[in-house]
Amino acid sequence: MSISGIGITGSPIAGFETRKTQQNAAGKSKGVSFAEFAVTKATGKTENVSFKEMLKSKYPGEYYNVMDTSKIDSSLWGRNDYPWDKYFSNNAGDSVLNWKPLGAEPDMQSPAVRTKMNVMLGKVAVVIPSELEEKMKNNTELAQKVMERVDSFLLTNSTPGENEGFLMTFDENGEINHACVVGELKFTVSSSEFVEARRAREAKHAEYERLAEEAALKRRLMEQEADDRYYKDSITKKAVSIGAYEAASILN
């Protein structure tokens, strides 16, 4: 079955590589890797190239939307009737962010769900919040990390020879917080594990800051104690010196 959207049959990754090989063989390669973009940007030739342009140059036909998906409840994201297919356009509306179910969850094999999944097959969609897009404008390293996470997700979750669709959304720090992978024989929605992983990182960071603050406080107390001892020692030595002077005066 041939799937439109990025003009390929089968896995998007395999399609991208096949098309790139065909273009190279014809001497008309238009695909540019992120590494090549990074090199040209470093030489000052692509100062105005955005992350979106880099992404679409590496994965032509990929759908890209700037939206904040952080507040989408994972239980809703995991429902069979959640409108993931709406992200497979370049102008997904805010209605997907505020979506609420209208009734009981339909079966995954129901015609409506299968139709939605078929819309996603053979395509890739990436969603990032405006805060992340703004950060990446002046942070090539962050942009590269986000690109690497896109690559890693596609490679890790793709099945050779299978026609699949991939959706991933990012938080403001460039971490995946929701994802969806569909295939003609499989359907995987991931949300809670990404959220839990992020919460674990945040908790670890908070614990690190707490320990660092405790260490700093302990260090200040030790310094204060050292200062107090030095002050007391100075007073004692001064008192001894005065006493010795007075005693010497009396003897004289």
Side-chain angles (χ1 to χ4, degrees), residues 41-238:
K41 187 174 181 61
T43 57
K45 296 180 180 178
T46 59
E47 292 86 350
N48 298 319
V49 173
S50 67
F51 173 76
K52 175 182 177 180
E53 292 169 321
M54 296 179 184
L55 190 68
K56 285 186 173 292
S57 291
K58 188 167 187 180
Y59 298 108
E62 182 170 30
Y63 295 102
Y64 179 90
N65 282 281
V66 179
M67 310 169 75
D68 184 2
T69 62
S70 62
K71 295 203 168 73
I72 296 177
D73 189 279
S74 59
S75 64
L76 295 181
W77 180 270
R79 283 179 59 102
N80 290 333
D81 48 356
Y82 184 84
W84 309 287
D85 56 314
K86 300 300 182 184
Y87 294 103
F88 289 79
S89 69
N90 289 320
N91 55 353
D94 289 341
S95 61
V96 294
L97 302 179
N98 304 314
W99 179 86
K100 301 294 181 185
L102 298 176
E105 182 177 10
D107 186 87
M108 190 173 66
Q109 298 302 324
S110 66
V113 175
R114 298 306 304 180
T115 298
K116 175 179 63 177
M117 292 170 64
N118 287 337
V119 169
M120 302 159 63
L121 288 175
K123 303 175 185 177
V124 177
V126 172
V127 184
I128 67 170
S130 58
E131 292 87 349
L132 176 58
E133 186 176 57
E134 194 64 31
K135 288 178 183 178
M136 291 191 294
K137 286 181 180 178
N138 300 310
N139 191 333
T140 302
E141 183 178 355
L142 175 60
Q144 184 173 3
K145 285 182 179 178
V146 176
M147 178 66 75
E148 289 172 351
R149 286 167 187 150
V150 171
D151 293 338
S152 178
F153 182 85
L154 292 173
L155 291 172
T156 301
N157 293 280
S158 64
T159 303
E162 191 170 319
N163 192 25
E164 300 169 307
F166 303 87
L167 166 62
M168 65 204 85
T169 74
F170 289 83
D171 63 19
E172 64 179 21
N173 297 314
E175 301 282 355
I176 295 176
N177 56 2
H178 297 288
C180 179
V181 178
V182 300
E184 293 173 321
L185 301 175
K186 73 174 182 178
F187 176 53
T188 304
V189 175
S190 297
S191 180
S192 59
E193 61 263 39
F194 291 118
V195 174
E196 290 304 318
R198 185 186 64 199
R199 287 175 179 170
R201 287 192 300 273
E202 291 174 348
K204 186 175 181 180
H205 180 70
E207 178 66 8
Y208 171 80
E209 289 200 339
R210 184 185 68 79
L211 293 175
E213 186 175 347
E214 287 183 357
L217 177 60
K218 185 176 181 180
R219 185 168 58 253
R220 287 196 297 270
L221 290 174
M222 291 177 66
E223 291 173 350
Q224 183 64 46
E225 290 175 358
D227 289 342
D228 290 344
R229 284 197 300 270
Y230 176 79
Y231 177 74
K232 290 177 181 178
D233 289 345
S234 297
I235 294 297
T236 300
K237 290 178 180 178
K238 185 175 181 181

